[in-house]
Amino acid sequence: NLQPVADTFGIPYEVVPIVPETKLQQEEKQLNLLQNEYSVDCVVLARYMQVLSETFLRAYHNNVINIHHSFLPAFIGSRAYQQANQRGVKLIGATAHYATLDLDEGPIIDQDVIQVSHRDDVKDFVRKGRIIERNVLVHALLAHLDDRIITYNNKCVVFGD
């Protein structure tokens, strides 16, 4: 629950539970809050783990940034660290990308990696990965907010600071 954190900074806090049976209606409620109540320009997905509807993505085309816990296109989906550990990778990564209807396949804004070893277990992967997830998300969000990104053919050109 991040309500106390939001309250500290005077930021509105809303919870809109999403279940398969009411997903479209709840997304409509989210869209109404984001666009009409708060005039939100950019949406960040962190641990959301769902594909947004075409209606939502059309309303926020190239304005929904997702942080994914792998160096895409490797290890798509929710169990990236477990998959990476099982494969014995030597690097894990994080990717910030624009959300699309295709899971974890939107235009990539920023990525980074960190080394891991055979001594690391999944908890180590998660601990190490969270650091780069935060950094990658911040870099991507700053580039987006500073209008330093051009998208074309499911790719991003990101201009320097």
Side-chain angles (χ1 to χ4, degrees):
N1 179 2
L2 294 176
Q3 175 96 45
V5 175
D7 290 346
T8 298
F9 293 99
I11 298 170
Y13 182 86
E14 303 278 348
V15 175
V16 181
I18 302 290
V19 295
E21 299 78 30
T22 61
K23 185 176 191 302
L24 293 178
Q25 295 89 340
Q26 293 298 75
E27 277 193 14
E28 190 174 303
K29 182 177 178 181
Q30 287 175 327
L31 270 175
N32 184 50
L33 284 170
L34 294 171
Q35 293 179 317
N36 302 323
E37 184 77 20
Y38 300 120
S39 300
V40 170
D41 296 322
C42 179
V43 176
V44 175
L45 303 177
R47 310 253 183 271
Y48 188 67
M49 310 307 266
Q50 295 188 48
V51 175
L52 293 170
S53 70
E54 185 174 355
T55 301
F56 194 103
L57 291 172
R58 200 174 322 114
Y60 278 98
H61 180 71
N62 285 344
N63 284 297
V64 178
I65 298 174
N66 182 46
I67 183 68
H68 183 71
H69 54 297
S70 85
F71 193 78
L72 291 174
F75 309 121
I76 290 173
S78 65
R79 298 181 41 83
Y81 290 128
Q82 291 84 349
Q83 292 174 53
N85 184 265
Q86 289 170 352
R87 291 280 302 152
V89 301
K90 306 305 179 229
L91 296 170
I92 57 169
T95 302
H97 65 90
Y98 287 118
T100 64
L101 286 173
D102 299 314
L103 179 67
D104 295 331
E105 292 189 20
I108 293 172
I109 304 166
D110 195 41
Q111 293 179 298
D112 199 2
V113 294
I114 191 169
Q115 286 191 306
V116 292
S117 80
H118 63 278
R119 291 184 293 272
D120 291 322
D121 61 17
V122 174
K123 287 181 185 176
D124 295 318
F125 278 36
V126 170
R127 179 180 48 79
K128 291 178 178 184
R130 293 254 165 98
I131 296 166
I132 56 174
E133 286 175 46
R134 283 191 295 269
N135 293 340
V136 165
L137 179 57
V138 167
H139 291 148
L141 191 54
L142 286 174
H144 177 85
L145 295 174
D146 290 343
D147 291 321
R148 292 187 285 115
I149 303 171
I150 296 173
T151 59
Y152 73 99
N153 294 336
N154 205 42
K155 297 178 186 176
C156 289
V157 174
V158 182
F159 296 94
D161 310 358

